Amino acid sequence: MVELSLRDRPAIVTGASRGIGREIAARFAESGGDVAICSQSYDDVETVATELTDEYDGRVVPFECDVTDSDAVRDLVDQTVEEFGGVRALVNNAGGSDESANLLHRCDEETFERMLGLNLKSQFLLSKEVLPAMVASGGGSMIHMGSVNGLFGIGLSGYSEAKSGLLALSRNIAAHYGQHSVRSNVLSAGTIETENRRREMENTEERTSEMSARDRWLDQYPLGRFGKPEEVADTVLFLASERSSFITGENVVLDGGLTSSLATPFLNEMYDADEQPQ
């Protein structure tokens, strides 16, 4: 059995100052990996790096980086290689959405370009810059954080289009660079209950007095709950490790069944799906 470990597999995790990115960095460090973490604020990732290095075996080094800036991305990769001697894993986690651009006619050109820059261009820049270092290191694994928004029509114009584009980017990397032992996969997540996501749901104006925005979202999930950051981190760790050595060019969906069917209340009404099996 191949060990689920990142020892001797230096990694870069973007957007790691909080939430999912921080949890991924923690999993990597716990698995003995050396991890370069970045965000736009050095102070934020410096605090995270100190906490994780004190707690786990792996070494966590902070960097400030605007992932939409090619020069900054190049510096990040160069410093990581200098620090760790190579790069064997890349987690393109940095990204975000603009809630005001929830429909196409509300999304202006500036917002659309900003969403593409943060959620697709940045992944392109990181992947392109990391490739030579990863090949020189003997190969490795790229994991691009996608979204169920990129799989079917939900909303968030610009963000959704960018997440859909990640699928083509990742498959091309897998197809072209597999011969150099580079793997590439997308992880498309449903609603993950980070602190930010919880606040967003709490601040959403309720359209009915009978059910909260949170409960309406939960109704869409067959498992009856949202995902946890640590569940995302566990999946990313698997994809970054040698345990997933024959998986590449895939879209791994982590969504509690959201994209598998229609909403649970509808299924209960139509098919008595809530009947307990005997």
Side-chain angles (χ1 to χ4, degrees):
M1 181 71 73
V2 179
E3 184 184 6
L4 188 58
S5 168
L6 288 189
R7 297 185 189 280
D8 302 317
R9 297 180 69 83
I12 295 174
V13 180
T14 67
S17 62
R18 62 182 184 275
I20 293 171
R22 187 191 191 284
E23 195 66 37
I24 292 169
R27 278 293 187 280
F28 282 19
E30 185 180 20
S31 299
D34 292 329
V35 193
I37 62 173
C38 74
S39 78
Q40 287 188 302
S41 168
Y42 179 80
D43 290 342
D44 289 346
V45 282
E46 182 184 33
T47 300
V48 172
T50 300
E51 293 172 350
L52 297 185
T53 298
D54 288 345
E55 186 171 357
Y56 300 116
D57 292 338
R59 189 157 56 104
V60 183
V61 179
F63 295 99
E64 181 178 319
C65 181
D66 177 355
V67 293
T68 66
D69 182 280
S70 58
D71 290 336
V73 167
R74 187 172 301 111
D75 287 344
L76 170 65
V77 176
D78 288 346
Q79 291 176 84
T80 300
V81 171
E82 183 178 347
E83 188 75 35
F84 300 138
V87 181
R88 298 292 307 279
L90 167 66
V91 183
N92 272 321
N93 173 68
S97 63
D98 189 322
E99 294 292 332
S100 65
N102 53 11
L103 294 176
L104 183 63
H105 71 274
R106 296 177 185 146
C107 184
D108 56 42
E109 184 176 356
E110 181 182 354
T111 299
F112 187 81
E113 290 181 348
R114 186 171 68 253
M115 290 297 95
L116 290 186
L118 183 57
N119 296 291
L120 182 57
K121 177 186 175 183
S122 65
Q123 284 81 348
F124 157 76
L125 292 175
L126 262 299
S127 301
K128 181 178 179 180
E129 200 60 46
V130 160
L131 264 171
M134 187 171 284
V135 172
S137 300
S141 176
M142 297 186 185
I143 301 99
H144 315 278
M145 295 303 298
S147 169
V148 293
N149 286 67
L151 306 181
F152 69 125
I154 301 178
L156 297 179
S157 198
Y159 174 82
S160 298
E161 285 86 302
K163 292 300 186 182
S164 182
L166 272 182
L167 300 173
L169 173 66
S170 179
R171 287 166 183 155
N172 276 330
I173 293 171
H176 299 158
Y177 303 102
Q179 59 193 315
H180 301 294
S181 300
V182 172
R183 298 186 293 113
S184 179
N185 294 286
V186 173
L187 196 162
S188 291
T191 301
I192 305 301
E193 197 156 13
T194 61
E195 287 297 326
N196 281 349
R197 195 70 184 95
R198 191 178 297 115
R199 282 195 296 269
E200 287 173 5
M201 285 186 287
E202 289 173 354
N203 292 335
T204 299
E205 181 180 356
E206 296 186 7
R207 297 179 182 177
T208 171
S209 60
E210 297 178 356
M211 186 178 292
S212 68
R214 176 186 172 83
D215 288 340
R216 290 199 303 276
W217 273 110
L218 282 171
D219 267 351
Q220 312 304 309
Y221 285 82
L223 288 185
R225 66 174 179 86
F226 299 131
K228 303 171 184 176
E230 53 265 36
E231 292 173 314
V232 179
D234 286 340
T235 307
V236 172
L237 176 61
F238 168 71
L239 291 173
S241 76
E242 282 300 299
R243 284 279 184 93
S244 61
S245 58
F246 204 53
I247 300 176
T248 191
E250 294 300 322
N251 178 41
V252 179
V253 182
L254 187 76
D255 71 349
L258 174 67
T259 58
S260 66
S261 183
L262 301 171
T264 299
F266 178 80
L267 297 179
N268 291 345
E269 180 181 347
M270 294 298 295
Y271 304 114
D272 296 324
D274 55 344
E275 179 182 315
Q276 184 174 336
Q278 299 294 326

